[in-house]
């Protein structure tokens, strides 16, 4: 079960550590740093714990653990190395509704001690829920190099100015913009260069400056095919700056989880047969929120300029004077092919690739089928699950070989990715047999055969069933066939 993240204020609150060894010493040190009133209960203490006891920094309960030690404490840490004793401490703490951490025993613990990155007052905690503490420490080590030590002084400065900032910028959107300028502008740069006095002066100047009314804007962001790791850094920044996010139905929940928590999310997925009406509604929403001074992110699956109608939306915004920006995304053809182990071009098989959309009969009628049926090229067909029979029929009619391989990638790059392979001759039947559903991308061409050998992500491809051929039994010598007859005679 996922633990609930919680930062506890232990200042001047009683905390009990059961155990007097090296592990208990480390736990006591961290609790003292948090301002807790620490009592260590154990028959014997390490030299450091003894010094702290003599100095009055901790209290010492000598002897074996007793239930009365749990009275009036907020937290308990069991660090004895004796699981029987740790179990007893955990059970009694639970009866008294006191949170307990048993060192290296997630099963007995009601709270976990995370790996910590300290940029006080900014603190970053990483927890695996007790399942993999070493992994949490590895993540902490990686983040340590990314988080500059000036973040602590920056957080302290923001805390000192917080009430004045709220009075100066009562509007939430304006206040957010001020903080972004404070955290990303000259003030942060001065702190990074070790000039705290100059940084404080720059913050005062920024606070006294007249607020500038910010107009709304729109950023078209490509969300990629689903894997949040494929979202660009610029796309991530836009999601964290957005006031409103208009997202397609197929944008993955994992990508949306990366957005700012208080941003308004509006799903604007198109429904089959009603694309035009829905696009008009999207235009109206973009205009409404941008004119209200909000920063709008139009979040599209894949790339906004590859069958994403991004061009239409930019034309609409430009005609109305709305500022806009485009953040490209990894389009589905590139990502799905890569995750299926299919190179879209290959010097032995395909010297070109065509991106095609085939989601309805009208789009099928506009395609150059003679050109699409040529050999030694790859077709990447978007939104084509419903029209696979018509696609096969027209390609075969224009000369594409029935044995041309295909790879149909469902939920590409996601944990539930499936790849169905076969040939053009049985494409619709193979898709129907495996109940392939949208989102799915069709890769058709000689390179698609490589999916069966080069697949590396997710489950192995679902290839065509092989027919088992039974070998013929060799003819028996004459004498063997006549022996039974002689015996029956």
């Amino acid at each position: 079960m996922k633990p609930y993240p919680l930062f506890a204020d232990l200042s001047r609150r009683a905390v009990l550590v059961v155990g007097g060894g090296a592990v208990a010493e480390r736990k006591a040190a961290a609790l003292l740093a948090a301002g807790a009133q620490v009592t260590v209960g154990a028959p014997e203490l390490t030299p450091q714990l003894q010094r702290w006891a003599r100095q009055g920094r901790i209290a010492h309960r000598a002897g074996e653990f007793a239930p009365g030690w749990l009275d009036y404490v907020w937290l308990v840490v069991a660090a004895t190395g004796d699981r029987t004793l740790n179990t007893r401490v955990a059970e009694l703490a639970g009866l008294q509704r006191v949170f307990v951490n048993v060192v290296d025993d997630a099963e007995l613990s009601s709270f976990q001690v995370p790996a910590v990155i300290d940029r006080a007052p900014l603190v970053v905690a990483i927890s695996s829920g007790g399942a993999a503490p070493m992994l949490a420490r590895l993540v902490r080590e990686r983040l340590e190099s990314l988080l500059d030590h000036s973040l602590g002084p920056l957080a302290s400065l923001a805390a000192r100015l917080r009430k004045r900032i709220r009075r100066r910028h009562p509007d939430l959107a304006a206040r957010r913009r001020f903080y972004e300028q404070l955290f990303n502008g000259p003030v942060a740069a001065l702190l990074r260069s070790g000039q705290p006095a100059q940084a404080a002066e720059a913050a005062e100047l920024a606070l006294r400056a007249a607020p500038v009314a910010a107009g709304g804007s729109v950023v078209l962001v490509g969300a990629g095919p689903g894997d949040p790791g494929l979202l660009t850094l610029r796309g991530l920044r836009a999601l964290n700056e957005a006031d409103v996010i208009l997202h397609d139905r197929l944008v993955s929940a994992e990508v949306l989880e990366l957005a700012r928590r208080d941003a308004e999310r509006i799903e604007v997925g198109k429904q089959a047969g009603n694309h035009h009406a829905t696009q008009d509604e999207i235009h109206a929403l973009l205009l409404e929120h941008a004119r209200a001074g909000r920063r709008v992110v139009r979040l599209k699956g894949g790339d906004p300029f590859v069958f994403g109608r991004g061009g239409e939306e930019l034309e609409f915004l430009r005609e109305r004077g709305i500022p806009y920006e485009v953040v490209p995304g990894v389009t589905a053809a590139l990502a799905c092919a890569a995750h299926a182990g299919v190179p879209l071009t290959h010097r032995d098989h395909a010297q070109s690739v065509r991106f095609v959309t085939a989601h309805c009969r009208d789009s099928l009628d506009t395609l150059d089928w003679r050109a699409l049926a040529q050999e030694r090229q790859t077709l990447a067909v978007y939104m084509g699950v419903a029209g696979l029979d018509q696609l096969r029929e027209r390609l075969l009619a224009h000369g594409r070989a029935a044995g041309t391989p295909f790879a149909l990638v469902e939920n590409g790059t996601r944990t539930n990715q499936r790849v169905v392979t076969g040939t053009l001759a049985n494409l619709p039947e193979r898709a129907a047999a495996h109940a392939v559903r949208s989102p799915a991308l069709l890769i058709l061409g000689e390179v698609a055969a490589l999916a069966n050998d080069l697949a590396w992500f997710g489950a192995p491809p679902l290839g065509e069933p092989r027919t088992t051929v039974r070998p013929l039994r060799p003819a028996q010598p004459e004498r063997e066939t006549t022996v039974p007859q002689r015996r029956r005679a």
Side-chain angles (χ1 to χ4, degrees), residues 140-156:
R140 182 197 64 191
E141 291 171 6
R142 292 181 179 177
L143 292 179
E144 280 278 5
S145 62
L146 300 176
L147 301 179
D148 194 88
H149 283 269
S150 64
L151 289 175
L154 183 60
S156 297

Side-chain angles (χ1 to χ4, degrees), residues 125-141:
I126 304 106
S127 173
S128 65
M134 291 302 297
L135 179 59
R137 294 188 189 109
L138 176 62
V139 172
R140 182 197 64 191
E141 291 171 6

Side-chain angles (χ1 to χ4, degrees), residues 455-475:
W456 62 273
F457 179 82
L462 300 168
E464 296 186 66
R466 296 181 178 180
T467 302
T468 302
V469 179
R470 294 180 178 274
L472 294 174
R473 295 183 64 184

Side-chain angles (χ1 to χ4, degrees), residues 100-455:
V100 60
N101 173 258
V102 179
V103 177
D104 293 331
D105 198 329
E107 184 180 346
L108 293 178
S109 300
S110 55
F111 80 94
Q112 306 295 331
V113 179
V116 171
I117 301 171
D118 188 0
R119 302 289 185 270
L122 180 69
V123 177
V124 179
I126 304 106
S127 173
S128 65
M134 291 302 297
L135 179 59
R137 294 188 189 109
L138 176 62
V139 172
R140 182 197 64 191
E141 291 171 6
R142 292 181 179 177
L143 292 179
E144 280 278 5
S145 62
L146 300 176
L147 301 179
D148 194 88
H149 283 269
S150 64
L151 289 175
L154 183 60
S156 297
L157 177 61
R160 292 197 301 271
L161 298 176
R162 184 177 182 183
K163 291 182 179 179
R164 294 172 56 195
I165 293 171
R166 291 179 68 89
R167 289 196 299 267
R168 183 63 169 162
H169 300 284
D171 177 70
L172 179 60
R175 187 159 66 247
R176 184 181 296 118
R177 285 190 288 271
F178 177 84
Y179 273 118
E180 288 170 356
Q181 181 185 11
L182 184 71
F183 296 152
N184 296 309
V187 173
L190 287 167
L191 286 173
R192 284 195 299 271
S193 61
Q195 303 179 66
Q198 293 88 333
E201 183 179 347
E204 289 288 345
L205 289 173
L207 192 55
R208 290 196 296 267
V212 178
S217 60
V218 176
V219 184
L220 270 65
V221 176
D227 180 357
L230 296 178
L231 183 71
T232 65
L233 292 176
R234 180 66 190 93
L236 177 62
R237 186 188 307 167
L239 286 177
N240 281 281
E241 293 173 351
D243 300 309
V244 181
I245 300 171
L246 275 61
H247 63 91
D248 289 345
R249 180 173 54 90
L250 295 179
V251 171
S252 70
E254 292 82 3
V255 170
L256 285 172
E257 276 293 313
L258 299 175
R260 209 181 74 209
R261 290 290 182 265
D262 57 342
E264 180 181 359
R265 293 165 170 79
I266 304 173
E267 183 181 311
V268 291
K270 301 179 180 68
Q271 299 297 321
N274 193 30
H275 283 224
H276 181 72
T278 306
Q279 191 62 49
D280 289 342
E281 293 167 5
I282 293 171
H283 288 167
L285 286 169
L286 291 172
L287 187 63
E288 173 191 345
H289 289 289
R291 284 184 170 172
R294 302 185 181 98
R295 289 172 297 185
V296 182
V297 163
R298 174 70 175 99
L299 189 63
K300 296 171 173 285
D303 180 90
F305 279 4
V306 179
F307 304 125
R309 307 188 82 168
E312 296 175 35
E313 293 174 6
L314 291 194
E315 289 172 336
F316 175 86
L317 295 169
R318 182 177 181 277
E319 290 170 0
R320 288 152 183 83
I322 303 298
Y324 57 78
E325 178 185 348
V326 180
V327 179
V330 180
T331 189
L334 302 180
C336 293
H339 280 66
V342 178
L344 290 176
T345 61
H346 190 292
R347 65 179 179 175
D348 294 333
H349 305 295
Q351 282 68 52
S352 65
V353 58
R354 293 175 182 260
F355 293 177
V356 181
T357 180
H359 63 280
C360 63
R361 179 175 291 277
D362 291 342
S363 62
L364 290 173
D365 292 337
T366 62
L367 298 176
D368 183 352
W369 290 101
R370 185 178 298 278
L372 294 178
Q374 294 176 5
E375 295 183 350
R376 300 184 65 79
Q377 70 173 343
T378 305
L379 302 183
V381 185
Y382 289 68
M383 300 175 286
V385 176
L388 293 179
D389 52 346
Q390 299 175 51
L391 182 75
R392 175 183 62 182
E393 179 182 313
R394 299 194 183 200
L395 285 173
L396 291 175
H398 287 82
R400 190 73 177 191
T404 303
F406 77 81
L408 191 55
V409 187
E410 178 189 76
N411 294 312
T413 79
R414 308 187 191 194
T415 55
N416 58 341
Q417 171 180 298
R418 290 196 305 163
V419 179
V420 177
T421 60
T423 60
L424 179 59
N426 60 13
L427 170 58
E429 292 79 13
R430 296 282 296 142
H434 291 285
V436 176
R437 297 288 181 267
S438 179
L441 182 124
L442 171 65
I443 304 169
L444 183 74
E446 289 76 7
V447 294
L450 297 174
N452 295 311
D453 297 324
L454 303 183

Side-chain angles (χ1 to χ4, degrees), residues 37-53:
Q37 294 179 344
V38 180
T39 296
V40 178
E44 297 179 359
L45 302 179
T46 65
Q48 182 63 63
L49 288 172
Q50 292 175 18
R51 281 192 291 272
W52 287 342

